[in-house]
Amino acid sequence: MLKGLSRAGLGDIGSDERFIELAGQYGFDAVDIDARGLIERNGVEGAKELLQRSNVVIGSIGLSVEWRQSESVFLDGLPKLTEAAAAAAALGCTACCTYILPSTDHKPAAFMAQATKRMRIAAEILGAYGIRLGLEFVGPHHLRTAWKNPFIWTMEETLDWADAIGRPNVGLLFDVYHWYTNEGTLDDIRALKPEQIVHVHINDAPDVKIEDALDNGRLYPGEGVIDLAGALGALQSIGYKGVVAQEILSKSAPEGSPEQLLQRSKAGFDKVFAAAGL
Amino acid sequence: MLKGLSRAGLGDIGSDERFIELAGQYGFDAVDIDARGLIERNGVEGAKELLQRSNVVIGSIGLSVEWRQSESVFLDGLPKLTEAAAAAAALGCTACCTYILPSTDHKPAAFMAQATKRMRIAAEILGAYGIRLGLEFVGPHHLRTAWKNPFIWTMEETLDWADAIGRPNVGLLFDVYHWYTNEGTLDDIRALKPEQIVHVHINDAPDVKIEDALDNGRLYPGEGVIDLAGALGALQSIGYKGVVAQEILSKSAPEGSPEQLLQRSKAGFDKVFAAAGL
Amino acid sequence: MLKGLSRAGLGDIGSDERFIELAGQYGFDAVDIDARGLIERNGVEGAKELLQRSNVVIGSIGLSVEWRQSESVFLDGLPKLTEAAAAAAALGCTACCTYILPSTDHKPAAFMAQATKRMRIAAEILGAYGIRLGLEFVGPHHLRTAWKNPFIWTMEETLDWADAIGRPNVGLLFDVYHWYTNEGTLDDIRALKPEQIVHVHINDAPDVKIEDALDNGRLYPGEGVIDLAGALGALQSIGYKGVVAQEILSKSAPEGSPEQLLQRSKAGFDKVFAAAGL
Amino acid sequence: MLKGLSRAGLGDIGSDERFIELAGQYGFDAVDIDARGLIERNGVEGAKELLQRSNVVIGSIGLSVEWRQSESVFLDGLPKLTEAAAAAAALGCTACCTYILPSTDHKPAAFMAQATKRMRIAAEILGAYGIRLGLEFVGPHHLRTAWKNPFIWTMEETLDWADAIGRPNVGLLFDVYHWYTNEGTLDDIRALKPEQIVHVHINDAPDVKIEDALDNGRLYPGEGVIDLAGALGALQSIGYKGVVAQEILSKSAPEGSPEQLLQRSKAGFDKVFAAAGL
């Protein structure tokens, strides 16, 4: 597995170029950034060199097209999605992810039908470039009622949705926080095939009742109560070899310089990877 | 357009063989029956002869596989669906229909995802045999709250669902009662392409408030308040050439012999088709 | 049916803006042009006004992505295809067409597999914007051996290919010249459903043996031996309501000014439409 | 990886029940048999017990539907395919395989289009039951000209075809003999993702020129010149954990009793697995 970083949890780390450099310095293998922007600023060859110099790959890009609003907004974003996919492919990135809010103001079944079609289109475009689409189920209980109607939030529902979308390149963004807030088990992970997982997010939860764990109340790996050693071990046991990227969503910016936060992140990864025997 | 009949509204009309014969006698062009049963009892050639003798075609078969319950129940029904599709194709039938209850005890978005996958499989099997799958949206207001959660009930939602299913052979069963209870307009019909319509149901509504029109409170064509002449004219104007089949759902069995009910149905069709200038 | 024009057969007619204006002046309803270019030069609103002023719609855009060469060339063209689709949709155009050379230097089955995947991706992108993809089978016999290996050239093979591509928005560009050089019959046309036809090309053939009719040896409608009245009547009888666009491919530029050629085209359309009773 | 057997190479081993028993006795983990027949004779529970008693699973069933001939023959086989898929699933089998002849009397591109549609339908039915479809490319050179026109025979072409079919559950049956006769390299195997491989066939080739290796001239594993240790090592390195089943096609029946041939097979597996360090 590759140790990865997103910006969430690193404070104001600056440009993506700086982010890549620091990720490499602190021993991380992957960063989640905007491939297209990196190319626009550095050219394809320049971007490749930047990544190679720091021995870092792009773990995942975000799904740039807005699939949760009107049809016209969705369509407006498709040309940029095609360019984003081409850019990611040019830099060797094979994952693109989006999250699923667990409730919605739309009529849920009708929204699911619309979103399924939109995701199939997005997946077809990404798949043309060899990129997979990871769907992130979102577990925190408070979000299940944050909008009028329940949508979906479990791993099983999300796998069913991937089946409905029906393209071979659709799978999960597996975030341990959402697995934890869904009261997932290690056996749930072991039941997955590695190719069902497009990307992994790692972080930790405070020692509160599961139903009180907030989406933006996450801790650094190893600083909380989630069985991360177990989760990593289970991912390893099924043969997952992709990126495990830190994503620490928090109400207020974390204290400390980016370097201190990177050190803290590195320490967290080292601790939980070691605990998992990796 | 072909004038068609389902059993609903004809009382105890007896065997399908008798149904075919009577439909022909009363000038109808199509019947909605179980093609596979007809072949099992009469052989393919015998079944064809029966239909030809009465100058009647099969308008639509019902979707035999149960897609609303558990996965195992769905899978148990697939072999029979394949046989049903082969049987329908052998008799020249090109439509297979199912209805969508407008509310559900399932979590709606998750159920939509599951149902989308199941419908894609069913559509692929039917499509192999040149058969189209018609999805019937169900409009009566009381059914929208008959189960715990709202599902879908409008024409637009159903067309979106067909897009999500993503197979070329999926379209609408357009039932005028559901169009009426959705307060559909003639322009809504005129906005359809004829190939979006797999099958049409015709019947009428009592003179009650739309939100009080019951699913099983339907009248014979021409005996109620739906603008059937307008609807038929709109279907004609877009080039729909398929079957328009009567389906009269009612709380208690209609009074009169099958022959009397057929005569009443024929009179209704004659009236509304004439009013539409057809 | 709408009377349409492509540039082929009109000589050096100038800009698309001029083409639109002249098409309107000579009573044509549609032009096959590059929607994206028109918008780039005039803006969306300006382009719409140009079309409306001449009472002309865009019949079809050409498929801009190169699907016959290497995978990288194909992928390079996808962002532009997405933009082209958005542009066409903005101007109300719902058709995009490409032709299929009847022989190939590639290994035919392997090329068919690759091309099928590419067409599915293109169709998905076009379909997002409500645009259909028309596949033009190419009949002239000399082209069947112009490259090393036979590919496909019949209507039936092309419909099979559309089935293989598997998206609902894929159909035929039906060119009467290719139907004629395939020795197609009126019953072949009558066996089509109108929604299987995305676009129609009209032109005529010289009085030579069918196997000697050259792809670039086409005549203006009504000046040759093809039963255009029959073909148009058959298209009408099945309910085709789309564009019938002239495409006159010839070895050397036709003689006469654009205005003279437009007049000649108009006369040809008038003659064959009248002969078909349209 | 699981050590598996097909009947090819075991002489007249008798019933599937006897085959299962002997496979277990000689230390094999999997057999390639007809799941539906086993259930018809023993019931689902009886069949499961038979397999469990011998500690053997079903590696793969053969694709029962005939996809190489006419459309009507294909359609006639779909109901049985659905039943075969249900039977395989009931016994825990998740693979179904078919081979691709490298030449054809059909027009190759047209046949590829037809076959693509048929495979999509078959894959959708199998996928409903959680079963994957493995496509076996066939390498021996003499078969490339055994029918009029070349079709496909390389791994790359077959992966392209799987992409064209477009269902997530389609992959390769990787037969080392076909890899060898295609002059495949270990790096070709290492470039695969394990989920692209549905099933593996193992056997060996005589010491003749590659272009003279006959399809029915195969040897037992370890008795020929194929680098089986390398191939198995490469499969292991990418994480393939499925079945590796022996298939020895030969002109005349192999000499010896089934028990002797099983012993010979076991010795071959032991030798090459040991050489691969497995």
Side-chain angles (χ1 to χ4, degrees):
Chain A
M1 285 182 275
L2 302 180
K3 294 174 184 171
L5 287 173
S6 72
R7 285 170 167 275
L10 302 181
D12 183 9
I13 201 170
S15 69
D16 279 349
E17 287 78 355
R18 178 77 181 138
F19 180 22
I20 291 167
E21 192 182 353
L22 285 170
Q25 282 178 21
Y26 285 82
F28 286 92
D29 308 302
V31 289
D32 291 354
I33 60 166
D34 170 23
R36 191 166 163 244
L38 197 71
I39 287 177
E40 282 176 349
R41 291 189 305 277
N42 300 281
V44 171
E45 290 313 311
K48 282 184 185 173
E49 279 172 34
L50 268 171
L51 291 162
Q52 283 165 2
R53 199 182 308 145
S54 290
N55 202 22
V56 158
V57 298
I58 300 182
S60 174
I61 60 169
L63 183 67
S64 61
V65 70
E66 177 50 78
W67 57 271
R68 302 177 191 86
Q69 300 180 18
S70 72
E71 186 71 4
S72 67
V73 169
F74 172 71
L75 292 177
D76 284 350
L78 281 188
K80 284 223 171 75
L81 174 64
T82 312
E83 289 171 17
L91 300 183
C93 170
T94 59
C96 175
C97 294
T98 191
Y99 58 88
I100 307 160
L101 290 174
S103 54
T104 175
D105 286 339
H106 298 290
K107 205 169 153 185
F111 178 46
M112 175 52 90
Q114 280 191 322
T116 300
K117 186 194 70 170
R118 291 175 187 168
M119 285 299 183
R120 188 186 66 229
I121 295 165
E124 190 75 87
I125 290 172
L126 292 166
Y129 293 93
I131 297 170
R132 297 166 72 208
L133 174 58
L135 305 176
E136 181 177 22
F137 56 96
V138 170
H141 294 216
H142 64 107
L143 291 179
R144 301 178 187 181
T145 51
W147 293 269
K148 278 185 216 160
N149 306 299
F151 195 55
I152 62 169
W153 56 74
T154 73
M155 187 165 85
E156 191 185 9
E157 291 166 343
T158 309
L159 289 170
D160 278 347
W161 192 22
D163 276 351
I165 295 167
R167 303 299 316 140
N169 62 321
V170 181
L172 298 176
L173 191 177
F174 180 86
D175 183 314
V176 294
Y177 201 80
H178 301 315
W179 165 74
Y180 170 75
T181 48
N182 268 309
E183 306 191 48
T185 66
L186 296 179
D187 279 342
D188 290 339
I189 300 177
R190 290 186 197 111
L192 291 171
K193 286 175 275 188
E195 65 267 25
Q196 291 180 298
I197 306 176
V198 173
H199 199 55
V200 170
H201 277 170
I202 193 166
N203 41 58
D204 219 327
D207 189 7
V208 298
K209 279 196 291 182
I210 285 180
E211 55 266 39
D212 295 334
L214 298 176
D215 193 50
N216 64 354
R218 308 191 196 185
L219 305 180
Y220 291 79
E223 301 188 3
V225 299
I226 301 182
D227 179 11
L228 294 177
L232 289 169
L235 288 168
Q236 170 83 355
S237 73
I238 61 169
Y240 178 70
K241 293 174 179 169
V243 174
V244 176
Q246 173 177 278
E247 188 195 46
I248 315 292
L249 303 178
S250 56
K251 244 163 294 194
S252 49
E255 285 181 24
S257 68
E259 285 78 3
Q260 288 171 318
L261 294 169
L262 278 158
Q263 185 55 49
R264 186 174 174 185
S265 300
K266 178 180 171 10
F269 270 77
D270 288 348
K271 177 179 170 188
V272 298
F273 272 68
L278 300 176
Chain B
M1 287 182 274
L2 301 180
K3 296 175 184 169
L5 287 173
S6 71
R7 284 170 168 276
L10 302 182
D12 183 10
I13 200 170
S15 69
D16 280 350
E17 286 79 355
R18 178 76 181 140
F19 180 23
I20 291 168
E21 193 182 353
L22 285 171
Q25 281 178 20
Y26 283 83
F28 287 92
D29 307 303
V31 289
D32 291 356
I33 59 166
D34 170 23
R36 191 167 164 243
L38 198 70
I39 287 178
E40 283 176 350
R41 291 189 304 277
N42 301 281
V44 171
E45 290 313 312
K48 282 184 184 173
E49 278 172 34
L50 268 171
L51 291 162
Q52 284 165 1
R53 199 180 309 146
S54 290
N55 202 23
V56 159
V57 298
I58 300 182
S60 173
I61 60 169
L63 183 66
S64 61
V65 70
E66 178 51 77
W67 56 271
R68 302 176 191 86
Q69 302 181 16
S70 72
E71 186 71 5
S72 67
V73 168
F74 172 71
L75 293 176
D76 284 350
L78 281 188
K80 283 224 171 74
L81 174 64
T82 313
E83 290 171 16
L91 300 184
C93 171
T94 60
C96 174
C97 294
T98 191
Y99 59 89
I100 307 160
L101 290 174
S103 54
T104 174
D105 286 339
H106 298 290
K107 208 169 152 183
F111 178 46
M112 176 53 91
Q114 280 190 321
T116 300
K117 187 194 72 170
R118 291 176 187 167
M119 285 299 183
R120 189 186 67 231
I121 295 166
E124 191 74 89
I125 290 172
L126 292 166
Y129 293 93
I131 297 170
R132 298 167 71 209
L133 174 57
L135 305 175
E136 182 178 20
F137 55 97
V138 170
H141 295 215
H142 64 106
L143 291 178
R144 300 177 187 182
T145 51
W147 291 269
K148 280 185 212 158
N149 306 299
F151 195 56
I152 64 169
W153 56 76
T154 74
M155 187 164 84
E156 192 185 8
E157 291 166 344
T158 309
L159 290 170
D160 278 347
W161 192 22
D163 275 353
I165 296 166
R167 303 300 315 141
N169 63 321
V170 181
L172 297 176
L173 190 178
F174 180 85
D175 184 314
V176 293
Y177 201 81
H178 302 315
W179 165 75
Y180 170 76
T181 48
N182 268 309
E183 305 191 49
T185 67
L186 295 180
D187 279 342
D188 290 340
I189 300 177
R190 291 187 198 109
L192 291 172
K193 285 175 276 186
E195 64 267 25
Q196 292 180 296
I197 307 176
V198 173
H199 199 54
V200 171
H201 277 170
I202 192 167
N203 41 58
D204 220 326
D207 189 7
V208 296
K209 280 196 290 182
I210 284 180
E211 56 266 38
D212 295 334
L214 300 175
D215 193 50
N216 63 355
R218 308 191 196 185
L219 305 180
Y220 291 78
E223 301 188 4
V225 300
I226 302 181
D227 179 10
L228 294 178
L232 289 169
L235 288 168
Q236 170 82 354
S237 74
I238 62 169
Y240 178 70
K241 294 175 179 168
V243 174
V244 177
Q246 172 177 278
E247 188 196 46
I248 316 292
L249 303 178
S250 56
K251 244 163 295 192
S252 48
E255 285 182 23
S257 69
E259 284 79 2
Q260 287 171 320
L261 295 169
L262 278 158
Q263 184 55 49
R264 187 173 174 185
S265 301
K266 177 178 172 8
F269 270 76
D270 287 348
K271 177 179 170 188
V272 297
F273 272 67
L278 300 175
Chain C
M1 285 182 275
L2 301 180
K3 294 175 185 171
L5 287 173
S6 72
R7 284 169 167 275
L10 302 182
D12 184 10
I13 200 169
S15 69
D16 280 350
E17 286 78 355
R18 178 78 180 137
F19 180 22
I20 292 167
E21 192 181 353
L22 285 171
Q25 282 178 20
Y26 284 83
F28 287 92
D29 309 303
V31 290
D32 291 355
I33 59 166
D34 170 23
R36 191 167 164 244
L38 197 71
I39 287 178
E40 283 176 350
R41 291 189 304 278
N42 301 281
V44 171
E45 290 313 311
K48 282 185 186 173
E49 279 172 33
L50 269 171
L51 291 162
Q52 283 164 2
R53 199 182 309 145
S54 290
N55 202 23
V56 159
V57 298
I58 300 181
S60 174
I61 60 169
L63 183 66
S64 61
V65 70
E66 177 50 77
W67 56 271
R68 302 176 191 86
Q69 300 180 17
S70 72
E71 186 71 5
S72 68
V73 169
F74 172 72
L75 293 177
D76 284 350
L78 281 188
K80 283 223 171 73
L81 174 65
T82 313
E83 289 171 17
L91 300 184
C93 170
T94 60
C96 175
C97 294
T98 192
Y99 59 89
I100 307 161
L101 290 174
S103 54
T104 175
D105 286 339
H106 298 290
K107 204 169 153 185
F111 178 46
M112 175 52 90
Q114 280 190 321
T116 299
K117 186 194 71 171
R118 291 175 187 167
M119 285 299 183
R120 188 186 67 231
I121 294 165
E124 190 75 89
I125 290 172
L126 292 166
Y129 293 93
I131 296 170
R132 298 166 71 208
L133 174 58
L135 306 175
E136 182 178 21
F137 55 97
V138 170
H141 295 215
H142 64 106
L143 291 178
R144 300 178 187 181
T145 51
W147 292 270
K148 279 185 215 159
N149 305 300
F151 195 56
I152 64 169
W153 56 76
T154 73
M155 187 165 86
E156 191 185 9
E157 290 166 345
T158 309
L159 290 171
D160 278 348
W161 191 23
D163 276 352
I165 296 167
R167 302 300 315 141
N169 62 321
V170 181
L172 298 176
L173 190 179
F174 180 86
D175 183 314
V176 293
Y177 201 79
H178 302 315
W179 165 74
Y180 170 76
T181 48
N182 268 308
E183 306 190 48
T185 67
L186 296 179
D187 279 343
D188 290 341
I189 301 176
R190 291 187 198 111
L192 291 171
K193 285 175 276 187
E195 64 267 25
Q196 291 180 297
I197 306 176
V198 173
H199 199 53
V200 170
H201 278 170
I202 193 167
N203 41 58
D204 218 326
D207 189 8
V208 298
K209 280 197 289 182
I210 286 180
E211 55 266 39
D212 295 334
L214 299 175
D215 194 50
N216 64 354
R218 307 192 197 184
L219 306 180
Y220 291 78
E223 301 187 3
V225 300
I226 302 182
D227 179 10
L228 295 177
L232 289 168
L235 288 168
Q236 171 82 355
S237 75
I238 61 169
Y240 178 70
K241 293 174 179 169
V243 174
V244 176
Q246 173 176 278
E247 189 196 45
I248 316 292
L249 303 179
S250 56
K251 244 163 295 193
S252 49
E255 284 181 24
S257 69
E259 285 78 3
Q260 288 171 318
L261 295 169
L262 278 158
Q263 184 55 49
R264 186 173 174 186
S265 301
K266 177 179 171 13
F269 269 76
D270 288 348
K271 177 179 170 188
V272 298
F273 272 68
L278 300 176
Chain D
M1 286 181 274
L2 301 181
K3 296 175 183 169
L5 288 173
S6 71
R7 285 171 167 274
L10 302 182
D12 183 11
I13 200 169
S15 69
D16 279 350
E17 286 78 355
R18 178 76 181 141
F19 180 24
I20 291 167
E21 192 182 352
L22 285 170
Q25 281 179 21
Y26 283 83
F28 286 92
D29 307 303
V31 289
D32 290 356
I33 59 166
D34 170 23
R36 190 167 165 244
L38 198 71
I39 288 178
E40 282 176 351
R41 290 189 305 277
N42 301 281
V44 171
E45 291 312 312
K48 282 184 184 172
E49 278 173 34
L50 268 172
L51 291 162
Q52 284 164 1
R53 200 181 308 145
S54 290
N55 202 24
V56 159
V57 298
I58 299 182
S60 173
I61 59 168
L63 183 66
S64 60
V65 70
E66 178 50 77
W67 56 272
R68 302 176 192 86
Q69 301 180 17
S70 72
E71 186 71 5
S72 67
V73 169
F74 172 71
L75 293 177
D76 284 350
L78 281 188
K80 283 224 171 74
L81 175 64
T82 313
E83 289 171 17
L91 300 184
C93 171
T94 60
C96 174
C97 294
T98 191
Y99 59 89
I100 306 161
L101 290 174
S103 54
T104 174
D105 286 339
H106 298 289
K107 206 168 153 184
F111 178 46
M112 176 52 91
Q114 280 191 322
T116 300
K117 187 194 72 171
R118 291 176 186 167
M119 285 299 184
R120 189 185 69 230
I121 295 166
E124 190 74 89
I125 290 173
L126 292 166
Y129 293 93
I131 297 170
R132 298 166 71 209
L133 174 58
L135 305 176
E136 182 178 22
F137 55 97
V138 170
H141 295 215
H142 65 105
L143 291 179
R144 299 177 188 182
T145 51
W147 291 270
K148 280 185 212 158
N149 306 299
F151 195 56
I152 64 170
W153 57 75
T154 73
M155 188 165 84
E156 192 185 8
E157 291 166 344
T158 309
L159 289 171
D160 278 348
W161 191 22
D163 275 353
I165 296 167
R167 303 300 315 142
N169 62 322
V170 180
L172 297 176
L173 190 179
F174 180 86
D175 183 313
V176 293
Y177 201 81
H178 302 313
W179 166 74
Y180 170 76
T181 48
N182 268 307
E183 306 191 47
T185 66
L186 295 180
D187 279 342
D188 290 340
I189 300 177
R190 291 187 198 109
L192 291 172
K193 286 175 274 187
E195 64 267 25
Q196 292 180 296
I197 307 176
V198 173
H199 199 54
V200 170
H201 277 171
I202 193 167
N203 42 56
D204 219 326
D207 189 7
V208 297
K209 281 197 290 183
I210 285 180
E211 55 266 39
D212 295 334
L214 299 176
D215 193 50
N216 64 354
R218 308 191 196 185
L219 306 179
Y220 291 79
E223 302 188 3
V225 299
I226 302 181
D227 179 11
L228 294 178
L232 289 169
L235 288 168
Q236 171 82 355
S237 75
I238 61 169
Y240 178 70
K241 293 175 179 168
V243 173
V244 177
Q246 172 177 276
E247 188 196 45
I248 315 292
L249 302 179
S250 56
K251 243 163 295 193
S252 48
E255 285 182 22
S257 69
E259 285 79 2
Q260 287 170 320
L261 296 169
L262 279 159
Q263 184 56 48
R264 187 173 173 185
S265 301
K266 178 179 172 10
F269 269 76
D270 287 348
K271 177 180 169 187
V272 297
F273 272 67
L278 301 176

